[in-house]
């Protein structure tokens, strides 16, 4: 039930108070032009597995969607305008926390069986399912619950369409040492980021596979020298494309990242298919939350734009990106993929040259780069570019062909950490 009373401090939007019973949740959707504050008045509650501090107001930016869940009962107050806010008493949270308990047991066993020379492997859990099934939300819960008893799991994000660690168009991983902040999201500790450059894998399927493999190999090296990370395991988020090529990429990711637990959200057919071909791993079907909101193409594009804006300006416009001007010859720009693997003369008669998905193609700077997002590679040589992770991103705001100057926006002032830049199809309009 919900009751309303006046706003603290004389605000115009008023305060709504919600009484939540045991194992209920308050589902909230904030409009794109609204802001909202929330606080826990009594009881205990959590957002994405992170406990709310009592009596502290949390400020949420426009467009946020979340659920406040309580195991034992709580009173919640909302101040501001929400597009939707309602209490639900049917949630899949008990099954989610049961999965967490099993993962905890595996982490504990891995820790007890580890030696100084050979750390044991903790659980590597991959969350799969169709678009808008709540995969990223479940990942956040599993990470937050794992961090409470001081585990430090690695979060791997393979969803290039949205991007939970960095901007869309990337495959990334980061160690997680603290429960996920309900507003700010995952605190980034030395994220490992590979730039794919597109928001759908169909543009270059083989490159997507190559980058997943590079990420996996780098993580294995890190785990070999860090027993704590290895025993804490991984939580892996995946794309919502689960048919055809998407299904093929899912199988590739399970094998490459050596996932031993696959959680299937809201898709019985996918669960059955995986059980038929993936052996020696636990395939577990879970119900998706009733609070999951389906998004159309326009909403997805808006979410991508918001993620890119947050990278440069911060969640609350609290960052000041730096505009710089550089000469065309200050750096080299490349696209990965394209161009024939072999000249037509070297092919059998009648055969057509196929595009090389990992070929490095130099890009001439022209007006087409305007509004593009470019990645700054750590590579020191061109032959390292495809396999190198990236330092960050810049946004092209002007291309002056006469003066051969390019103007770009970067998160901070100073020289770029590398002179090799990568471009894909990722663009952004600052308006």
């Amino acid at each position: 039930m919900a009751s309303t009373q006046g706003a603290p401090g004389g605000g115009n939007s008023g305060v709504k108070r919600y009484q939540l019973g045991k194992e209920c949740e308050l589902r909230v959707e904030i409009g794109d032009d609204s802001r909202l504050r929330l606080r826990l008045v009594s009881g205990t509650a959590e957002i994405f597995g992170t406990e709310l501090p009592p009596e502290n107001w949390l400020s949420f930016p426009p467009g946020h969607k979340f659920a406040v869940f309580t195991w034992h009962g709580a009173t919640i107050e909302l101040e501001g305008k929400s597009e939707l806010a309602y209490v639900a008493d049917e949630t899949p949270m008990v099954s989610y926390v049961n999965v967490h308990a099993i993962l905890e047991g595996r982490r504990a066993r891995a820790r007890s069986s580890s030696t100084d020379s050979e750390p044991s492997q903790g659980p590597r859990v991959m969350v799969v399912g169709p678009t808008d099934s709540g995969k990223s939300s479940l990942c956040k819960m599993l990470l937050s619950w794992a961090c409470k008893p001081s585990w430090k799991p690695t979060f791997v994000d393979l969803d290039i369409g949205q991007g939970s660690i960095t901007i869309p168009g990337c495959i990334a991983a980061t160690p997680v040492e603290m429960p996920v902040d309900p507003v700010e999201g995952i605190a980034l500790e030395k994220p490992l980021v590979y730039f794919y450059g597109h928001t759908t894998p169909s543009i270059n399927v083989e490159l997507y596979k190559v980058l997943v493999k590079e990420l996996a190999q780098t993580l294995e090296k890190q785990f070999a020298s860090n027993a704590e990370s290895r025993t804490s395991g991984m939580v892996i988020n995946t794309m919502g494309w689960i048919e055809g090529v998407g299904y093929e990429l899912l199988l590739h990711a399970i094998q490459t990242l050596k996932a031993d637990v696959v959680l299937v959200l809201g898709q019985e057919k996918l669960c059955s298919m995986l059980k038929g071909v993936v052996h020696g791993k636990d395939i577990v079907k879970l119900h998706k939350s009733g609070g999951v909101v389906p998004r159309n193409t326009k909403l997805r594009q808006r979410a991508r734009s918001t993620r890119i804006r947050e990278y440069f300006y911060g969640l609350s416009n609290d960052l000041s990106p730096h505009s710089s001007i550089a000469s065309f010859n200050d750096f080299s720009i490349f696209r990965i993929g394209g161009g024939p693997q072999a000249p037509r003369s070297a092919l059998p008669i009648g055969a057509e040259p196929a595009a090389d998905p990992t070929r490095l193609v130099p890009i001439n700077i022209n007006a087409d780069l305007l509004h593009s997002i470019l990645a700054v590679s750590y590579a020191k040589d061109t032959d390292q570019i495809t396999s190198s992770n990236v330092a960050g991103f810049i946004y092209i705001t002007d291309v002056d062909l006469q003066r051969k100057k390019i103007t770009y926006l970067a998160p901070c002032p100073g020289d770029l950490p590398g002179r090799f830049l990568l471009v894909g199809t990722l663009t952004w309009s600052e308006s």
Side-chain angles (χ1 to χ4, degrees):
M1 73 178 206
S3 58
T4 308
Q5 65 183 45
N12 295 325
S13 45
V15 166
K16 285 187 178 179
R17 176 171 286 196
Y18 295 85
Q19 305 286 350
L20 276 63
K22 179 183 177 183
E23 293 178 12
C24 290
E25 68 182 17
L26 173 63
R27 295 170 180 166
V28 182
E29 295 179 31
I30 307 173
D32 289 330
D33 301 315
S34 308
R35 286 188 170 271
L36 191 74
R37 295 207 307 158
L38 174 150
R39 73 168 173 168
L40 172 68
V41 178
S42 64
T44 57
E46 59 185 49
I47 295 177
F48 300 133
T50 300
E51 290 183 19
L52 296 179
E55 294 295 335
N56 281 16
W57 285 99
L58 298 178
S59 297
F60 291 87
H64 250 53
K65 296 175 177 63
F66 60 90
V68 184
F69 179 83
T70 177
W71 292 103
H72 308 291
T75 303
I76 305 293
E77 284 184 346
L78 296 183
E79 179 192 28
K81 188 179 178 184
S82 62
E83 204 165 85
L84 188 66
Y86 66 97
V87 176
D89 57 7
E90 289 187 14
T91 79
M93 290 291 282
V94 171
S95 61
Y96 292 175
V97 85
N98 285 343
V99 167
H100 160 69
I102 293 169
L103 298 176
E104 283 290 275
R106 294 189 181 185
R107 291 184 183 105
R109 285 195 296 275
R111 177 181 280 171
S112 63
S113 62
S114 287
T115 63
D116 290 339
S117 59
E118 192 172 346
S120 292
Q121 176 60 57
R124 297 184 176 191
V125 55
M126 182 175 287
V127 181
V128 307
T131 302
D132 298 323
S133 55
K135 295 186 295 297
S136 58
S137 295
L138 178 56
C139 286
K140 290 175 186 176
M141 291 177 212
L142 295 175
L143 291 166
S144 292
W145 290 334
C147 288
K148 285 179 188 175
S150 301
W151 296 108
K152 295 178 181 177
T154 297
F155 177 46
V156 178
D157 189 20
L158 305 180
D159 185 4
I160 53 175
Q162 297 300 317
S164 297
I165 293 176
T166 184
I167 67 171
C170 298
I171 288 166
T174 186
V176 180
E177 301 184 359
M178 301 283 290
V180 178
D181 187 283
V183 181
E184 301 276 341
I186 295 165
L188 297 184
E189 299 287 335
K190 299 178 182 175
L192 181 65
V193 181
Y194 291 85
F195 186 66
Y196 173 71
H198 319 283
T199 56
T200 171
S202 59
I203 291 177
N204 193 336
V205 173
E206 289 307 311
L207 175 61
Y208 184 90
K209 288 182 179 179
V210 166
L211 296 182
V212 171
K213 188 175 179 181
E214 289 291 343
L215 178 74
Q217 289 173 342
T218 304
L219 289 176
E220 292 294 359
K221 290 174 187 172
Q222 292 179 355
F223 290 153
S225 59
N226 189 328
E228 190 174 34
S229 291
R230 188 171 176 84
T231 54
S232 295
M234 294 182 191
V235 175
I236 306 161
N237 186 35
T238 60
M239 299 179 294
W241 190 20
I242 56 171
E243 297 174 347
V245 175
Y247 178 67
E248 175 195 326
L249 292 174
L250 203 55
L251 295 178
H252 176 266
I254 292 170
Q255 180 182 13
T256 306
L257 288 159
K258 300 177 183 174
D260 51 14
V261 179
V262 181
L263 305 178
V264 186
L265 277 176
Q267 244 281 0
E268 205 158 321
K269 178 185 173 184
L270 177 62
C271 187
S272 177
M273 288 169 66
L274 289 174
K275 284 182 177 179
V277 297
V278 178
H279 305 294
K281 303 175 189 295
D282 294 321
I283 313 294
V284 182
K285 180 176 155 310
L286 294 172
H287 291 292
K288 71 176 184 178
S289 170
V292 172
V293 182
R295 293 172 296 178
N296 58 30
T297 303
K298 189 176 179 181
L299 286 174
R300 293 183 163 284
Q301 289 171 342
R302 190 182 298 165
R304 281 196 281 268
S305 180
T306 299
R307 287 292 293 162
I308 294 172
R309 181 173 180 80
E310 285 173 6
Y311 175 80
F312 290 103
Y313 289 96
L315 193 67
S316 304
N317 280 338
D318 51 348
L319 300 181
S320 299
H322 188 77
S323 182
S324 297
I325 299 176
S327 297
F328 284 8
N329 56 10
D330 285 348
F331 36 63
S332 302
I333 303 177
F334 296 92
R335 175 179 281 113
I336 301 176
Q341 288 175 303
R344 198 179 294 269
S345 58
L347 296 171
I349 294 172
E352 287 296 315
D356 182 352
T358 59
R359 180 170 179 254
L360 209 58
V361 181
I363 297 297
N364 292 322
I365 299 176
N366 57 39
D368 292 343
L369 284 176
L370 196 61
H371 303 309
S372 291
I373 300 291
L374 273 59
V376 184
S377 176
Y378 273 126
K380 301 300 180 189
D381 211 324
T382 52
D383 59 4
Q384 300 174 350
I385 290 176
T386 303
S387 60
S388 289
N389 57 314
V390 299
F393 310 94
I394 62 172
Y395 169 60
I396 306 301
T397 58
D398 186 55
V399 179
D400 189 330
L401 296 174
Q402 284 188 325
R403 295 172 57 229
K404 294 192 180 298
K405 298 284 186 182
I406 196 165
T407 307
Y408 64 88
L409 201 65
C412 55
D415 293 336
L416 298 179
R419 64 176 303 271
F420 296 132
L421 306 180
L422 293 174
V423 64
T425 54
L426 201 63
T427 59
W428 178 54
S429 178
E430 206 175 336
S431 58

